[in-house]
Amino acid sequence: MPNLPLTQDVTVESAPTARRVEALQMLRIGRTRAQRILAAAAEGSMDVQGLYLARRAERLVGAAWGQVVPGHSAFCWPAVLSPGEPEDTATRLQLAVDDYLQSAQVAVAQAVLPVRAVADVVRLVRAGYHHLTDLDYLVAAYESFPRLRPQSDLQFRPFTPADETRLSQLVERTYVESLDCTELDGMRAMRDVLTGYRETGEYRPEWWLFAQHVGRDVGCVLLADHPDHDQAELMYMGVVPEQRGRGWGGQITRYAQWLVAQAPRQRMVLAVDQNNWPAQGVYAFAGFDHWDRRCVYVRNMQART
């Protein structure tokens, strides 16, 4: 293969509208999905301003994407290069993406990668990202959901707009001594965390539940609806530390499954920190099976480097 010219012969720019499909495809996003992404962007429901490409003259040689999402957060799609393209091009693409995310006042950016994505990991670490954890992706089928309302020691109350402060304080309490992605604690304000949850899938406030025991909040569960995929997502489930060890995590999860069965949705999915062995046990009890594992890299975008 002939030697390629140095990276000063490469132009790195925000992807022009006419080349966005091509740039997304370079990021291993299929054409149909890329077109759906751009349709959502045209409606204002997805950000593609942070999609960057690298070109030599008019030939595309690289792409990267920083996708801003609600809650001062972002997903990072690390640079992908054409075969033989110098690594400096990936560095320039990542710098452009990260500059965009910082200008958008993103607090934390995260990349979720296949566990053997070595090139992606090297590029992210070089840019200041670090390994947060590995996530296990779990799924439970409709057939495993309770058909009758489960008996429980708990009472369940749906979220209302007046409960915003109450829910924020409760979720903060459930974070204490949790084993789930602990390094993320404090990187974003709780209002931003809840905003991110609210913008995931279709928001159904009746699927955001307080779990109470003798009138006191002891836990919560937050579900998102994905009707296009005929599934619900368990985004968060937690129990306050002083009430753990009583089997309430399992009761909350089974109640959530029963609620989803009323929709009905054919499956429930979730992601859980592989190190969170109590939650892993709860979800195994509730009939969840493992279907994938991904590694998570994060960067505090507002920290000085």
Side-chain angles (χ1 to χ4, degrees):
M1 178 179 295
N3 292 329
L4 290 168
L6 298 176
T7 53
Q8 55 260 40
D9 297 309
V10 173
T11 298
V12 172
E13 62 185 359
S14 181
T17 301
R19 304 202 72 174
R20 284 174 177 171
V21 168
E22 188 181 2
L24 290 169
Q25 287 184 290
M26 175 157 271
L27 293 172
R28 308 183 188 98
I29 296 171
R31 186 174 185 86
T32 299
R33 185 182 174 198
Q35 290 173 335
R36 287 201 300 266
I37 288 171
L38 296 181
E43 295 171 355
S45 59
M46 186 169 293
D47 170 52
V48 293
Q49 297 302 311
L51 176 63
Y52 283 81
L53 59 77
R55 57 181 175 83
R56 293 180 178 275
E58 294 306 312
R59 183 170 66 89
L60 188 68
V61 296
W65 184 18
Q67 179 194 358
V68 177
V69 295
H72 292 98
S73 184
F75 294 116
C76 176
W77 302 66
V80 175
L81 302 179
S82 296
E85 181 65 25
E87 194 61 27
D88 281 355
T89 301
T91 300
R92 289 181 59 191
L93 280 163
Q94 191 64 53
L95 285 171
V97 164
D98 289 346
D99 284 348
Y100 170 73
L101 298 182
Q102 288 173 326
S103 71
Q105 298 185 322
V106 165
V108 59
Q110 57 180 311
V112 182
L113 309 173
V115 292
R116 293 180 178 84
V118 177
D120 289 343
V121 168
V122 169
R123 289 165 183 165
L124 288 171
V125 170
R126 188 170 60 218
Y129 289 70
H130 71 274
H131 181 250
L132 176 70
T133 192
D134 288 354
L135 293 178
D136 285 331
Y137 287 77
L138 310 181
V139 59
Y142 173 84
E143 290 73 22
S144 68
F145 297 169
R147 294 299 183 270
L148 301 176
R149 181 176 178 141
Q151 293 186 344
S152 176
D153 304 322
L154 304 173
Q155 299 80 47
F156 295 94
R157 302 288 183 264
F159 171 83
T160 70
D163 294 320
E164 190 79 20
T165 299
R166 173 187 171 193
L167 181 62
S168 294
Q169 293 173 345
L170 178 59
V171 173
E172 290 271 19
R173 288 174 60 207
T174 66
Y175 281 178
V176 176
E177 299 177 6
S178 168
L179 298 177
D180 203 51
C181 301
T182 55
E183 287 189 51
L184 284 178
D185 295 355
M187 280 194 181
R188 290 190 296 159
M190 183 53 62
R191 64 179 178 275
D192 290 336
V193 173
L194 295 181
T195 295
Y197 286 144
R198 192 174 284 109
E199 295 295 328
T200 300
E202 291 191 8
Y203 169 56
R204 296 180 60 165
E206 71 274 18
W207 280 12
W208 287 31
L209 301 170
F210 294 95
Q212 297 183 313
H213 185 251
V214 293
R216 300 182 63 181
D217 294 337
V218 296
C220 61
V221 63
L222 310 178
L223 306 171
D225 196 10
H226 298 275
D228 290 348
H229 299 284
D230 202 12
Q231 67 187 27
E233 178 183 356
L234 194 158
M235 299 181 292
Y236 185 75
M237 187 276 292
V239 176
V240 297
E242 64 271 19
Q243 300 293 347
R244 292 174 190 154
R246 306 179 67 168
W248 287 350
Q251 292 182 28
I252 294 171
T253 303
R254 293 296 278 169
Y255 185 89
Q257 289 176 320
W258 171 78
L259 193 66
V260 168
Q262 313 310 302
R265 295 288 177 259
Q266 290 304 304
R267 67 192 68 85
M268 182 184 288
V269 297
L270 62 86
V272 59
D273 192 321
Q274 68 163 356
N275 298 312
N276 191 348
W277 58 267
Q280 295 272 7
V282 165
Y283 298 136
F285 163 79
F288 283 86
D289 295 318
H290 181 274
W291 64 273
D292 198 7
R293 176 171 288 180
R294 296 292 179 100
C295 55
V296 182
Y297 282 76
V298 299
R299 180 180 170 190
N300 183 341
M301 299 307 300
Q302 300 305 316
R304 293 186 178 181
T305 57

